[in-house]
Amino acid sequence: MEARPPGTPRRALPSFLWTGATSLLAIAAVAGIYLAARSRLPEREAEAPASPEREGTELIEGMDYRVMVAVARIKPEKPDGGKWDSGSSSNAAPDPFYEIWWRGNRVYESHEVEDVLVASWSNVALPELYALLTGAKLSLETIKEGALITARLSDAIDIRILDDDPIHDDVIEEFTIGMTELRVGDQLREGRYGLESATLRVIPRDTRQLEHFIR
Amino acid sequence: MATLNWLCHGMLAAGLVMPCMTFVSRMGDATDIARAAGLIPDPKTYSVLSGILALFEDGDVLIGGVLLVFSVLFPVAKLIAVRLVLGCATRGAIPPGMLKAVTALSKYSMVDVFVIALLVVASKTMPGGSRIRPEWGLLAFGAAALLSMGLTSAVRRATTSAG
């Protein structure tokens, strides 16, 4: 083997490969540590507060809005473990309906939905909104579900979700929401008593606010 | 300078995988209704690497390739080149083309940051309030690029004064 004379620089190629490999390894290691740490934090990300874009538009003082319970998801049993409706197990599911109270008055009572644990009262809202937003000539006034309220930021509304029974209606859930908590669009409300969760929907009554954004 | 170079490695890695920008689609005051109706998507966040991957998946191979070259390959190559220069400097023999290569690579490693900055500015004119929100991964990427530029200048000055 031919000896290398003293002072002759080492061959560049092995040095380049070694340097390149260690640099790539270092970059991959840092990236891998971050990705591994992120994959272990799904609970914390789920608890993180929603970004402002997801919180929704606040109600405007003096404007009219239609408030409704779009969907109510009811627990399979009463909090005391009893069935919602008496009789055989085939008709033990509740017959939910809801009331909206505002300023001490009941301003809306929905129809009941028979024998369900997931009740929906707003099948008509979103398709009509979709038609409106895609240019069809349709007024939001055709949506009659829910209570029509005027936003007063100092006010609150009471929502009662009940199980329709012949003698005495069982209270599934009852809660109060301040107008400052309401947001345009859908918002989820967790239940504490007989309700797992409910989706509240708030729609501005005045279509002029939306016309600017309709093609 | 070797320590700073390793710091550049870490910041570049952070800038490549951490959130870089978020696309927020809005329709003005109708945003929430439109989102509830499924007409506009939820905000979507991308890192540099996931954005490049999304471009390839969508069939934008040319743009994805350009970003891959200038956002990933060039910055990594420059860091490797700076390490080689530093290594050669300690042995007292820097190959003639090495410094030129480092200088040439450093010119293009800020391209991605400029592209994203242009996107952010352009998004301010989008209708309905839609916008692109820069995230802190972009800052890490930009800091890595700036730090490596400074490192390159320092290496050049050191080798020139030693020569």
Side-chain angles (χ1 to χ4, degrees), chain A residues 9-10 15-16 18-20 22-24 26-28 30-31 34-35 38 51-57 126 129-130 133-134 184-186 201-204 209-210 213, chain B residues 5-6 9-14 16-19 24 26-37 39 42-43 76 79-81 83-84 91 93 128 131 133 136:
Chain A
R10 293 167 59 182
S15 173
F16 174 76
W18 168 251
T19 304
T22 51
S23 285
L24 289 173
I27 291 170
V30 174
Y34 168 76
L35 292 173
R38 191 181 67 177
S51 65
E53 287 78 15
R54 295 184 67 90
E55 286 179 350
T57 305
L126 280 180
L129 281 173
Y130 181 84
L133 290 169
T134 53
V184 176
D186 285 358
R201 180 163 295 158
V202 179
I203 306 169
Q209 191 184 17
L210 296 175
F213 308 104
Chain B
N5 197 23
W6 284 118
H9 281 69
M11 292 177 75
L12 178 63
L16 289 176
V17 298
M18 292 178 181
V24 180
R26 293 183 60 84
M27 198 184 286
D29 289 339
T31 297
D32 301 293
I33 296 174
R35 197 164 280 155
L39 297 176
D42 289 335
V76 171
L79 289 180
I80 294 172
R83 275 192 69 200
L84 285 172
R91 290 192 288 275
R131 62 185 184 276
R133 187 176 66 216
W136 61 285

Side-chain angles (χ1 to χ4, degrees), chain A residues 7 11 19 23 28 30 33 44 52 55 69 83-84 92-93 103 114 120 131 195 199 202-203 209 213:
Chain A
R11 296 180 64 176
T19 304
S23 285
V30 174
I33 290 170
R44 285 177 58 184
E55 286 179 350
V69 175
K83 292 180 180 175
W84 289 107
R103 294 184 171 179
E114 290 187 3
S120 173
L195 188 74
T199 300
V202 179
I203 306 169
Q209 191 184 17
F213 308 104

Side-chain angles (χ1 to χ4, degrees), chain B residues 33-34 58 62 66 72 80 96 99 102 108 118 157:
Chain B
I33 296 174
D58 289 343
L62 181 61
V66 168
V72 181
I80 294 172
L99 280 177
V102 169
Y108 299 103
L118 282 175
R157 278 198 303 273

Side-chain angles (χ1 to χ4, degrees), chain B residues 71-96:
Chain B
S71 303
V72 181
L73 299 182
F74 269 53
V76 171
K78 195 180 78 167
L79 289 180
I80 294 172
V82 168
R83 275 192 69 200
L84 285 172
V85 168
L86 289 174
C88 293
T90 57
R91 290 192 288 275
I94 301 175

